[in-house]
Amino acid sequence: DLSREIFTGLLSYIMLPMVATVVQSFHYGISLVNISITVSIVMMFLEIMIEQGKTVARQEHQLAEKDRMLARQERELTESRITSMLSQIRNHFIFNTLGVISGYCKIDPEKADQALAKFARYLRRNINYLETNGPVLFATEVEQIEDYVSLEQMRFGDMIGFGEDFEVTDFLIPPLTVQPLVENAIKHGLTRPGKKGNVCILTRKENGFIRIEVIDDGVGFLPEDLEKEDSIGIRNIRYRLKHMADAEFHIDSTPGKGTRAVIRIPGNEK
């Protein structure tokens, strides 16, 4: 569709010479037709320049709005990353782990030394994630998970079973997206007095996607309870998976049987 300015310019280009021709038939000696054509061309040029100026202004406004949206999204992702990092080093986990290490210092100094090395590595990775603006290798996330589970197993012994079944590990994923799911499985599903529980992580290739599952055989919960108790941690995971990896995420659970958290991320193998 023609803009009003360009339509006006075209109309002047057509009408002015016609008017000039009529006037020229009564007045001689001045080339009114040539003058009108020149004037109409100038008017068309001015109208086109005005329209181009408006188009550029609209484009600049759209780019500025896009920049604001990107800046807001980047800020939200940064806040989400910080919140996730802090959620992994809560006071009770730090104190419980230090208590376990202190206990082993008296009865098994070598095991205490190993635990301290894992704990330091776990904390260092979480802090390093603050400086990570992009995704990390899934294999790196798995190393963090293994350190976390090992520390919890030192506290709860064989009450926590842990397994891995990986078809693929060489792909990228937003940091701190799988590890919190394992932590939730252990914290809310498995650490029941007098009862052993198991949690397993698996990956599969699936029609151009990579499927990641965190499965436990713990207490489970009703679907409506997930909506009511959808923690900040789960919301952050969902947000970062969507905006950093265009990934799908959902949780299925059955009371008394366990929970399955599923991530489907577009294939990005390295």
Side-chain angles (χ1 to χ4, degrees), residues 19-32:
V19 173
T21 300
V22 174
V23 174
Q24 186 74 62
S25 64
F26 298 99
H27 298 276
Y28 300 96
I30 302 177
S31 182
L32 295 177

Side-chain angles (χ1 to χ4, degrees), residues 57-81:
R58 284 195 299 268
Q59 291 174 343
E60 290 178 346
H61 176 75
Q62 291 171 353
L63 288 173
E65 185 64 26
K66 185 177 181 180
D67 287 342
R68 284 194 293 271
M69 291 178 62
L70 289 174
R72 183 174 65 251
Q73 187 178 98
E74 183 176 351
R75 184 176 65 254
E76 290 173 349
L77 286 171
T78 299
E79 293 172 353
S80 173
R81 186 169 65 252

